[in-house]
Amino acid sequence: MIPMQRTVIFGATSAIAQEVARQLVVRGGALYCIGRNSAKLDALLADLRVRAGSGQVIGGEEADLNDLTRHESLLLSAEKALGGLDALLVAQGSLSDQKSCEVSPDLTVREFNTNALSAISILTLAANKMEAQKAGVLAAISSVAGDRGRQSNYVYGAAKGALTIFMEGLRNRLTKVGVSVVTIKPGFVDTPMTASFDKNGVLWSNPEIIARGIVIAMEKGSGEVYLPGFWRFIMLVIRHIPSRMFNKMSL
Amino acid sequence: MIPLSWNRWPRVDHRKIISVNDRSVPLPFCEGSLLAHGNGRSYGDVCLNEAGNLLMTRGLNRFMVFDRTTGRLQCESGVLLKEILDLVVPQGWFLPVTPGTRFVTVGGAIANDVHGKNHHSAGTFGHYVCSLELLRSDGQRLLCGQEENKQWFAATVGGLGLTGLITWAELQLMPISNAFMWVQPRRFSSLSEFWAINEEAEQRWPYTVAWIDCLSGTKDNVRGILSGGAHAPAQAELPCFKEKSRHMPLTPPLSLVNSLSLRAFNAFYYHQPIKSGITLDHFVPYFYPLDGLLDWNRVYGRRGFFQYQCVLPLESSRDGISKLLRRIGASGQGSFLAVLKTFGSKPSAGMLSFPREGATLALDFPNLGEATHRLFQELDAVVRDAGGALYPAKDARMPSDLFRAGYPLWERFSTFVDPGFSSSFWRRVNS
């Protein structure tokens, strides 16, 4: 078990991150939450303060994480507010509109920026910090969509795939110094991000269940986790469909 | 998943299902009317909006402020009562009024002005709402309470979600010493015995409720168990409690509730061993016996079920309740245990609130189609004669004249209805 007393969450107002924050608070953790929307961030911080015990630090600030130049100062203010850093969770993301991306290279690059580059930038900075202190947990929410490019969402999938591979490399580098790098790969989750989806079927999960899995994975320092776990098998099958067959399917 | 109400009937199509998770933004603009849908624990069509849009409010699940010294809690409207209890019970606070399930949202509890076993001593949920924010389809945000926008407050409490979207509310909680209840059950074997011991129990206990076996007789020999309860004071020793809940794994093709299973269950329940005197019970099984079987509504099969809950005014309640029970007994239809409770004289806070001084009877009936509807028409006639009312939160079929007779302020209420909001229920009782 890795103690995660002081955690910073990037993209904290996402439905999944909000549940992670709540679960960390009731375990006694100190939290620093960063989100883009100030009203949502204030609402989240108020909620966490109601749940927190007296003396438990709950802080945060507003930031657009697509502005990569701010990442360094955000990390510094989090560390300062918390008095150190044990864990970091990168949770920002946007579910790209594939059809619009196909006709707009600009949008495609922007989506790549939100889902991959902003996360990679934060992780790069944090990795050096954790490497120096020889302890800590770096976690990021990737996606099962990053396991194989599919016609329905390969822009989002490619960005998440890049993030997954980046973290794999980071893990390879940092495991020896005692830093865990945790890649979270959720399947379908019923959140505002997927509001326009038809949620019929047994594959859908809710943010509380995913958040529980994330907290456990971060505490254990697991490498890559699929949430819920059955996605490991689904993706195993999907990854192994031969290309000739795969290209005829409309996934 | 198509949104259903708790009795799984009717099944209607909506234009759009919209998740709401940010209380600071305006209502979504879309074609057709809007209606908030919390956790889907009301029955019938009061939380449905056929061909219109549903605002799913469970994403509004944040606490805002909790003052541990005064017991004032401000939270968003999609917070479940269970989430409130989980937060406040260990800190010595409790909901001053709670319905029979913890899985309702704060917004739903306000919109239906729910009541509990302590109506005679505490009134309804609405009495403990200090203020709320109402978001209207024209973008206005109205702060409503006992002081400000009083008329809007009275329309919104018990207003069935028709006055706009409740985004948050401030509640006054009640102090408790611990999570346990003093409980005293007592058997009775006739209605007249019930009325006698109920009166005495209401003097002694803040909480009272009676379970009755509605198939036990056709005359006055209705049997049942009346239980009184109170929050336990400081105790030297408290029993341990570990909550266990089970899922109903599937929906059987046919209802498991039939006259044979009913008779067996009710007899079993009535004859269960009752400890003499007063016992200590945790608040969860005391208030929420049905929350232990999650999805118990599936027991009734794919055709779902109906709940019939009425209130009869004080003067006609004795006569009316025995007439209702006679009709139900003769029909052979009925539920696992009916609930009988008397309401106190405290006037409700809302224009359309259901509770009023008198007696309320609630029963579940499997949906047998025509036969069930024929029985309901007979029961309606008794309620009408007695000057009573049916509970919109539990209704899927009351005729419009019965609604209007039971809710004389409905016309005034309709001036507060948001032009952008509607529900299947509202259109039905106004057609």
Side-chain angles (χ1 to χ4, degrees):
Chain A
M1 284 298 221
I2 299 154
M4 293 194 301
Q5 285 305 303
R6 297 163 297 184
T7 306
V8 55
I9 303 181
F10 289 83
T13 58
S14 86
I16 294 176
Q18 168 180 294
E19 289 304 326
V20 171
R22 286 173 170 173
Q23 294 183 24
L24 291 177
V25 162
V26 297
R27 287 161 184 246
L31 283 183
Y32 198 79
C33 298
I34 296 159
R36 188 182 44 177
N37 177 316
S38 66
K40 280 168 93 169
L41 181 66
D42 290 347
L44 172 65
L45 292 174
D47 176 79
L48 297 175
R49 288 186 181 120
V50 168
R51 294 167 195 267
S54 54
Q56 218 173 327
V57 177
I58 307 290
E61 77 184 279
E62 184 194 336
D64 180 354
L65 297 174
N66 276 332
D67 180 0
L68 308 187
T69 60
R70 289 197 61 188
H71 291 175
E72 191 155 13
S73 69
L74 287 169
L75 261 178
L76 278 174
S77 29
E79 198 178 7
K80 196 166 162 228
L82 298 173
L85 215 52
D86 302 312
L88 173 142
L89 173 66
V90 177
Q92 75 267 23
S94 96
L95 192 53
S96 320
D97 181 341
Q98 174 67 26
K99 285 280 171 250
S100 312
C101 286
E102 282 169 22
V103 295
S104 163
D106 273 359
L107 180 63
T108 301
V109 169
R110 263 207 316 277
E111 288 295 331
F112 215 85
N113 199 25
T114 305
N115 288 310
L117 299 180
S118 74
I120 286 172
S121 158
I122 292 164
L123 290 166
T124 299
L125 293 166
N128 296 334
K129 191 179 293 289
M130 299 281 184
E131 193 177 36
Q133 72 188 30
K134 293 196 166 53
V137 184
L138 290 174
I141 302 180
S142 183
S143 170
V144 295
D147 278 14
R148 195 161 192 187
R150 294 172 300 124
Q151 62 180 354
S152 58
N153 71 347
Y154 63 81
V155 172
Y156 178 74
K160 290 299 195 183
L163 177 59
T164 299
I165 293 186
F166 179 86
M167 294 187 73
E168 192 176 20
L170 211 52
R171 185 177 308 120
N172 192 232
R173 167 184 151 201
L174 295 179
T175 304
K176 1 189 162 353
V177 293
V179 176
S180 346
V181 179
V182 181
T183 310
I184 315 287
K185 292 182 176 179
F188 301 146
V189 191
D190 183 0
T191 66
M193 195 195 226
T194 56
S196 62
F197 283 57
D198 184 2
K199 308 232 164 72
N200 277 320
V202 294
L203 296 181
W204 285 88
S205 185
N206 67 50
E208 292 90 68
I209 292 174
I210 303 297
R212 203 174 306 146
I214 293 177
V215 171
I216 292 171
M218 287 173 75
E219 280 180 344
K220 283 209 263 185
S222 324
E224 255 185 30
V225 287
Y226 287 84
L227 292 174
F230 59 76
W231 280 96
R232 180 174 296 277
F233 302 102
I234 296 177
M235 295 321 293
L236 186 75
V237 171
I238 288 184
R239 279 204 315 274
H240 286 88
I241 299 171
S243 293
R244 259 198 312 181
M245 233 162 98
F246 191 73
N247 292 337
K248 287 185 191 146
M249 299 163 74
S250 27
L251 283 164
Chain B
M1 214 119 34
I2 53 164
L4 288 171
S5 54
W6 187 240
N7 62 323
R8 302 166 70 86
W9 194 92
R11 287 171 190 254
V12 303
D13 286 324
H14 291 92
R15 192 186 293 264
K16 265 184 163 177
I17 310 295
I18 305 159
S19 306
V20 188
N21 52 77
D22 184 353
R23 68 173 186 269
S24 64
V25 301
L27 290 170
F29 177 78
C30 45
E31 217 178 299
S33 60
L34 302 170
L35 182 71
H37 182 104
N39 206 31
R41 292 295 162 132
S42 57
Y43 297 61
D45 50 5
V46 75
C47 65
L48 301 175
N49 191 15
E50 186 167 13
N53 308 290
L54 282 185
L55 301 170
M56 308 304 282
T57 60
R58 273 291 283 134
L60 294 176
N61 60 1
R62 293 166 202 92
F63 294 118
M64 295 161 67
V65 186
F66 178 44
D67 185 331
R68 299 177 194 191
T69 53
T70 60
R72 285 267 177 132
L73 172 73
Q74 198 182 344
C75 66
E76 293 180 346
S77 59
V79 170
L80 296 181
L81 298 190
K82 177 177 192 298
E83 293 165 343
I84 294 183
L85 291 167
D86 289 347
L87 176 82
V88 304
V89 168
Q91 305 188 51
W93 295 96
F94 202 74
L95 292 164
V97 167
T98 173
T101 170
R102 290 168 293 169
F103 299 117
V104 301
T105 61
V106 167
I110 295 171
N112 293 294
D113 197 13
V114 297
H115 57 272
K117 298 177 172 69
N118 58 346
H119 185 276
H120 62 279
S121 62
T124 64
F125 195 85
H127 287 124
Y128 302 90
V129 178
C130 315
S131 57
L132 59 86
E133 184 187 69
L134 189 64
L135 177 56
R136 303 270 293 176
S137 60
D138 61 6
Q140 254 195 104
R141 285 175 189 269
L142 294 173
L143 181 68
C144 314
Q146 327 269 5
E147 308 289 322
E148 300 152 275
N149 290 314
K150 283 189 220 165
Q151 290 294 308
W152 286 99
F153 184 75
T156 303
V157 170
L160 310 175
L162 295 162
T163 60
L165 176 71
I166 301 169
T167 54
W168 59 260
E170 189 180 26
L171 310 174
Q172 175 62 57
L173 304 177
M174 171 179 87
I176 52 171
S177 308
N178 55 58
F180 285 80
M181 308 290 300
W182 283 121
V183 187
Q184 186 180 40
R186 239 181 110 174
R187 280 198 190 94
F188 56 89
S189 54
S190 74
L191 267 184
S192 39
E193 192 183 346
F194 163 77
W195 294 114
I197 63 172
N198 181 62
E199 205 167 302
E200 186 203 321
E202 285 195 347
Q203 309 286 328
R204 287 187 51 200
W205 299 99
Y207 298 94
T208 63
V209 71
W211 302 96
I212 59 173
D213 176 355
C214 58
L215 301 178
S216 59
T218 47
K219 288 233 169 63
D220 187 37
N221 57 344
V222 173
R223 61 187 182 183
I225 297 172
L226 172 80
S227 82
H231 291 279
Q235 300 285 317
E237 262 179 81
L238 289 169
C240 291
F241 174 74
K242 177 102 178 80
E243 189 175 354
K244 276 181 250 158
S245 59
R246 284 157 205 259
H247 274 280
M248 175 78 189
L250 47 85
T251 308
L254 293 172
S255 171
L256 302 179
V257 181
N258 52 49
S259 69
L260 208 68
S261 65
L262 268 178
R263 275 173 212 286
F265 179 84
N266 287 2
F268 174 78
Y269 192 90
Y270 178 75
H271 292 294
Q272 67 180 295
I274 288 181
K275 289 191 196 114
S276 60
I278 299 169
T279 55
L280 209 51
D281 199 1
H282 191 269
F283 82 89
V284 169
Y286 177 75
F287 285 106
Y288 315 106
L290 286 171
D291 284 356
L293 180 60
L294 303 167
D295 328 304
W296 63 263
N297 54 343
R298 287 174 154 192
V299 170
Y300 287 90
R302 297 212 180 116
R303 298 180 69 185
F305 66 107
F306 293 98
Q307 180 156 115
Y308 194 90
Q309 181 163 9
C310 61
V311 56
L312 305 182
L314 199 56
E315 58 282 3
S316 54
S317 53
R318 292 189 178 213
D319 187 41
I321 296 289
S322 42
K323 273 188 192 151
L324 288 170
L325 289 174
R326 258 199 306 260
R327 299 244 144 87
I328 295 160
S331 80
Q333 302 181 51
S335 54
F336 289 115
L337 304 171
V339 177
L340 179 57
K341 149 117 200 103
T342 43
F343 285 150
S345 58
K346 192 169 182 179
S348 292
M351 292 179 196
L352 289 195
S353 290
F354 167 71
R356 60 204 74 182
E357 191 170 19
T360 180
L361 178 69
L363 308 108
D364 295 327
F365 295 92
N367 181 6
L368 304 179
E370 220 13 67
T372 309
H373 284 279
R374 268 200 307 275
L375 171 65
F376 288 157
Q377 280 164 17
E378 284 182 40
L379 303 183
D380 286 354
V382 179
V383 173
R384 213 176 267 126
D385 282 351
L390 296 189
Y391 191 5
K394 306 278 185 74
D395 176 66
R397 37 70 49 197
M398 78 163 99
S400 138
D401 72 295
L402 191 57
F403 171 73
R404 291 178 181 187
Y407 297 88
L409 294 180
W410 71 273
E411 240 168 332
R412 186 144 72 92
F413 169 78
S414 27
T415 64
F416 291 92
V417 171
D418 187 303
F421 280 66
S422 186
S423 69
S424 293
F425 172 87
W426 189 240
R427 290 189 294 273
R428 182 165 59 77
V429 296
N430 279 295
S431 62

